């Protein structure tokens, strides 16, 4: 897989990565100006020349990636003096960090509410995967941050969705909704699992899931009906706004909880280091 294909793949999976570009060379160097490679947390794609230059560049890239912030960085390497490489030239490498998206929504169902949600999400800083088995509903959807995925069996896509992402289940088929819920809860790592429908539908789903061996803690992850509980409406766009508001509130709460946890860990580390 070359660096272009790697960028497309990692972006579709909402993974963070760094694009490395050889910006300038002087003297004897392994690759020419403009050569690129991609570095993710676990993989590398293409090469800027191998050897100590590449190994050190990979380490720098992964260190930059830890910040999970969009940033740029330039590093100058003297191949002979600094890296003990025989070619002995000088190389400048440009690092572009593309952080992982921390807000990924997997929408199953491109009906009225699904399409209304997509319209809202074009203005939100997020990544969206829209799944449906009906190609005629997907053909006219055009949004910069939405990946359109036509599958005859959308439930098979659940396993490949990013960890800690949001699952919004709103298909045209209650049996398919049930299958999707089972697959999502089996994963056990979603940030949110919501299903469109009434409280009665939610109760029936939970009863069926209990019979299939899911426990009460797992059922707590299931939200049905979706959206703000005090907003009673049947209009697709208003339902979509309600669902989006619920997801944004949950996202903010999760970020605050993580920040508090990180702060507590830092305090413990500080106390232990003093001891």
């Amino acid at each position: 897989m070359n660096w272009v294909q790697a960028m497309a793949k990692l972006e579709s999976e909402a993974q963070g990565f760094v694009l490395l570009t050889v910006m300038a060379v002087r003297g004897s160097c392994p690759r020419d100006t403009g050569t690129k490679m991609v570095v993710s947390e676990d993989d590398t794609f293409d090469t800027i020349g191998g050897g100590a230059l590449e190994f050190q560049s990979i380490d720098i890239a992964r260190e930059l990636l830890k910040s999970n912030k969009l940033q740029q960085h330039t590093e100058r390497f003297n191949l002979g003096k600094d890296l003990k490489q025989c070619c002995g030239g000088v190389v400048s490498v440009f690092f572009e960090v593309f952080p992982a998206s921390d807000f990924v929504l997997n929408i199953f169902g491109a009906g009225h509410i699904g399409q209304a949600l997509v319209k809202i999400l074009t203005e939100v800083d997020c990544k969206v995967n829209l799944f449906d088995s009906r190609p005629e509903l997907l053909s006219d959807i055009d949004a910069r941050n939405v990946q359109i995925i036509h599958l005859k069996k959308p439930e098979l896509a659940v396993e490949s969705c990013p960890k800690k992402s949001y699952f919004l289940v709103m298909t045209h088929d209650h049996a398919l909704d049930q299958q999707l819920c089972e697959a999502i809860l089996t994963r056990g790592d979603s940030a949110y699992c919501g299903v469109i429908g009434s409280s009665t539908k939610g109760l029936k789903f939970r009863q069926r899931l209990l019979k299939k061996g899911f426990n009460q803690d797992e059922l707590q992850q299931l939200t049905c009906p979706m959206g703000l509980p005090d907003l009673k409406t049947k209009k697709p766009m208003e339902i979509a706004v309600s669902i989006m508001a619920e997801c944004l509130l949950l996202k903010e709460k999760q970020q605050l909880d993580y920040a508090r946890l990180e702060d507590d860990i830092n305090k413990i580390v500080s106390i232990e280091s003093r001891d």
Side-chain angles (χ1 to χ4, degrees), residues 6-269:
M7 287 181 68
K9 177 179 182 292
L10 293 168
E11 188 168 320
S12 71
E13 296 172 351
Q15 291 190 52
F17 61 90
V18 184
L19 176 64
L20 284 62
T21 305
V22 176
M23 291 295 292
V25 298
R26 191 176 76 239
S28 177
C29 299
R31 299 298 299 271
D32 295 328
T33 300
T35 302
K36 299 177 185 290
M37 73 177 294
V38 168
V39 176
S40 69
E41 185 179 356
D42 301 312
D43 286 306
T44 64
F45 307 89
D46 259 334
T47 176
I48 58 170
L53 168 66
E54 186 164 303
F55 294 145
Q56 191 160 326
S57 294
I58 290 169
D59 288 343
I60 292 169
R62 287 185 172 146
E63 192 62 34
L64 290 168
L65 198 55
K66 288 179 182 178
S67 70
N68 205 38
K69 293 179 181 178
L70 186 67
Q71 60 177 307
Q72 299 171 335
H73 174 76
T74 302
E75 197 81 27
R76 183 175 178 273
F77 301 92
N78 187 316
L79 302 183
K81 181 180 178 182
D82 300 331
L83 302 181
K84 312 303 180 187
Q85 290 191 206
C86 296
C87 38
V90 177
V91 179
S92 291
V93 179
F94 184 55
F95 299 77
E96 295 176 270
V97 182
F98 297 85
S101 175
D102 63 351
F103 194 27
V104 181
L105 298 104
N106 308 295
I107 302 174
F108 290 86
H112 296 306
I113 298 171
Q115 292 187 34
L117 260 171
V118 167
K119 289 179 182 177
I120 297 170
L121 291 168
T122 57
E123 302 299 324
V124 177
D125 184 12
C126 65
K127 174 174 173 44
V128 183
N129 298 310
L130 178 62
F131 304 90
D132 206 295
S133 60
R134 300 163 292 177
E136 67 275 11
L137 295 182
L138 300 170
S139 57
D140 294 331
I141 296 173
D142 182 23
R144 59 174 178 80
N145 59 343
V146 179
Q147 184 177 18
I148 310 297
I149 305 162
H150 169 241
L151 290 172
K152 290 184 178 180
K153 294 184 176 181
E155 65 275 18
L156 299 180
V158 170
E159 187 177 349
S160 62
C161 291
K163 294 178 181 179
K164 301 299 179 184
S165 57
Y166 291 64
F167 290 85
L168 312 178
V169 179
M170 49 185 74
T171 77
H172 59 294
D173 184 341
H174 281 212
L176 177 55
D177 286 353
Q178 178 86 40
Q179 289 177 326
L180 286 163
C181 288
E182 291 175 19
I184 295 163
L185 294 181
T186 297
R187 281 183 53 134
D189 61 359
S190 63
Y192 175 84
C193 176
V195 186
I196 201 74
S198 64
S199 298
T200 302
K201 178 179 177 179
L203 178 61
K204 288 181 178 179
F205 270 35
R206 290 185 180 90
Q207 289 172 341
R208 292 169 189 161
L209 289 165
L210 274 173
K211 289 180 181 178
K212 291 204 170 189
F214 290 91
N215 59 45
Q216 290 292 346
D217 287 340
E218 289 169 324
L219 296 186
Q220 288 296 318
Q221 300 173 33
L222 179 65
T223 299
C224 183
M226 285 192 285
L228 301 178
D230 295 331
L231 183 60
K232 310 299 182 184
T233 180
K234 294 184 179 180
K235 296 180 180 179
M237 183 54 76
E238 292 178 359
I239 294 172
V241 169
S242 176
I243 292 170
M244 194 67 256
E246 182 185 27
C247 289
L248 287 171
L249 285 169
L250 180 59
K251 175 176 174 282
E252 184 174 327
K253 179 182 182 299
Q254 289 171 341
Q255 287 176 333
L256 287 171
D257 289 346
Y258 179 79
R260 291 192 189 102
L261 176 61
E262 194 173 47
D263 186 51
D264 289 343
I265 291 171
N266 288 336
K267 287 177 181 176
I268 292 169
V269 171

